[in-house]
Amino acid sequence: MVNESVSSDYEVLDWSEVAKMIYLYVIGFIAALLLAVLLTPFVKQFAILVGAVDAPNERKVHTRIMPRLGGIAIFIAFAGGFFAISPAFDSIHANTAWGLLVGGAIIAVTGALDDRFDLSPKLKMLGIVAAACVIVAFDMRVSFINIPFAGTAHSLDWLSIPLTIFWIVGVTNAVNLIDGLDGLAAGVSAIAIGTIMVLAIMMGNVTVILLSAIILGSIIGFLFFNFHPAKIFMGDSGALFLGFCIATLSILGFKQATLVSFVIPLLIIAVPFSDTIFAIIRRKVNNKPWSVADKGHLHHCLLQLGFSHRNTVLLMYGVSAFFGLMAILLSQAALWVTIIAVIVLLLAATIVAELIGVIHKKKRPVLTFVRWIIQAK
């Protein structure tokens, strides 16, 4: 979505072609939305039937047993929307779209098995890596790296494979970590997908627009049942699938690894990404294994500050939308503007995290340093 020269999906369209594509976007979106609305009640009953339920405990915020597997409804709705417009895919689009569908199926099945049987972290990671390898096999990966200010590009060759897999695994798990409140992961993912779609529209990436529209429809349809008070949870089948989609679509739009093309996707997923980084730091500071779950995530801290369940989710939607807007604006900005903006955003995010206790309830090194600077003046 930044480097038009690296994608064969960019082309100049006449008005008849534009009208045709808009029609396809709408059809894909509506088909996925309706399928999600129709399928979710059946998936809910199926989850209860097979015992794929989430029982409350000291770390959970819900107080009754809830059905999981909602991600299956999201994935099937996506697949339905995909096949509804699949005749419109040419050979280039089909390769990209089928890669996302096949990899997404692996992710959805892995998540569904975890929803029912609580897979070990190693088995779950194996499924995520397998899906990432599918994306690489369909030749959707970071190919070049540009040196900032130098104007030179270097081919990553075989390094593009581990870099792409690392990105997909990281983003997929980051979205999974914020799935702690009704509608939170789904809504934040919808905002991220919507941001990617806007950037794709700005750059004319037809494939990304089509796939984003379908995924967005499936998420919104599911949110009718998942927003507070939720009737069903998306489970790992949904959180992993949506994280996988966000990671893959961002790769499609940013195949050349420049500073800007790394920053923009990170801004798009700023909420789950920052929450993941803060969780790692928090567990390190508190001498706890990084893989051990806790109640120190951003949404937990907001609840502890007195925000209601619904208001916490809406607040995080607002933060996600803000970072999405920043991603759109900075995609058109000069490199030096992007660097300054990112530094300011990182500092602000760290200060806010320390204020609300995301990292530690008492240790606030950055905030203490800022106060020392102010007092020194």
Side-chain angles (χ1 to χ4, degrees), residues 192-211:
I193 294 293
T195 302
I196 292 173
M197 186 166 68
V198 170
L199 288 165
I201 291 171
M202 291 168 61
M203 298 302 166
N205 193 320
V206 173
T207 302
V208 175
I209 302 172
L210 280 171
L211 294 173

Side-chain angles (χ1 to χ4, degrees), residues 57-62 180-181 275 279 282-283 288 292-304 356-358 361:
N57 58 37
E58 68 281 355
R59 196 179 65 85
K60 307 291 179 62
V61 298
H62 62 282
L181 296 180
D275 194 45
R282 178 175 64 251
R283 290 161 190 173
K288 293 183 178 180
V292 174
D294 59 23
K295 293 191 72 171
H297 291 284
L298 177 58
H299 52 275
H300 291 131
C301 292
L302 291 175
L303 289 172
Q304 293 163 12
I356 65 177
V358 172
K361 298 301 181 183

Side-chain angles (χ1 to χ4, degrees), residues 123-325:
L123 282 177
K124 190 158 62 172
M125 182 62 70
L126 181 63
I128 298 172
V129 171
C133 288
V134 169
I135 295 302
V136 171
F138 276 83
D139 199 30
M140 292 181 281
R141 50 185 169 173
V142 177
S143 303
F144 298 90
I145 183 166
N146 286 339
I147 306 302
F149 302 110
T152 59
H154 298 276
S155 175
L156 290 173
D157 296 324
W158 64 271
L159 283 175
S160 65
I161 296 176
L163 180 61
T164 301
I165 292 174
F166 177 79
W167 171 255
I168 293 175
V169 170
V171 175
T172 300
N173 280 293
V175 173
N176 192 36
L177 282 177
I178 66 165
D179 185 24
L181 296 180
D182 297 351
L184 179 56
V188 169
S189 296
I191 293 169
I193 294 293
T195 302
I196 292 173
M197 186 166 68
V198 170
L199 288 165
I201 291 171
M202 291 168 61
M203 298 302 166
N205 193 320
V206 173
T207 302
V208 175
I209 302 172
L210 280 171
L211 294 173
S212 297
I214 299 170
I215 297 168
L216 197 58
S218 63
I219 297 173
I220 293 175
F222 175 72
L223 265 174
F224 284 117
F225 305 91
N226 185 237
F227 193 72
H228 186 72
K231 299 178 179 63
I232 182 174
F233 291 163
M234 68 163 58
D236 277 15
S237 55
L240 294 178
F241 173 67
L242 293 181
F244 175 78
C245 289
I246 293 169
T248 302
L249 290 177
S250 62
I251 288 174
L252 292 178
F254 299 92
K255 289 185 178 180
Q256 278 188 305
T258 64
L259 177 64
V260 173
S261 63
F262 269 133
V263 166
I264 302 305
L266 289 177
L267 286 173
I268 292 171
I269 60 163
V271 169
F273 176 75
S274 60
D275 194 45
T276 300
I277 297 300
F278 290 142
I280 294 173
I281 297 173
R282 178 175 64 251
R283 290 161 190 173
K284 179 66 176 178
V285 169
N286 293 304
N287 296 316
K288 293 183 178 180
W290 70 270
S291 58
V292 174
D294 59 23
K295 293 191 72 171
H297 291 284
L298 177 58
H299 52 275
H300 291 131
C301 292
L302 291 175
L303 289 172
Q304 293 163 12
L305 288 174
F307 288 92
S308 67
H309 192 127
R310 183 185 293 264
N311 287 340
T312 296
V313 173
L314 291 175
L315 178 59
M316 293 186 70
Y317 283 2
V319 174
S320 297
F322 168 76
F323 279 107
L325 178 61

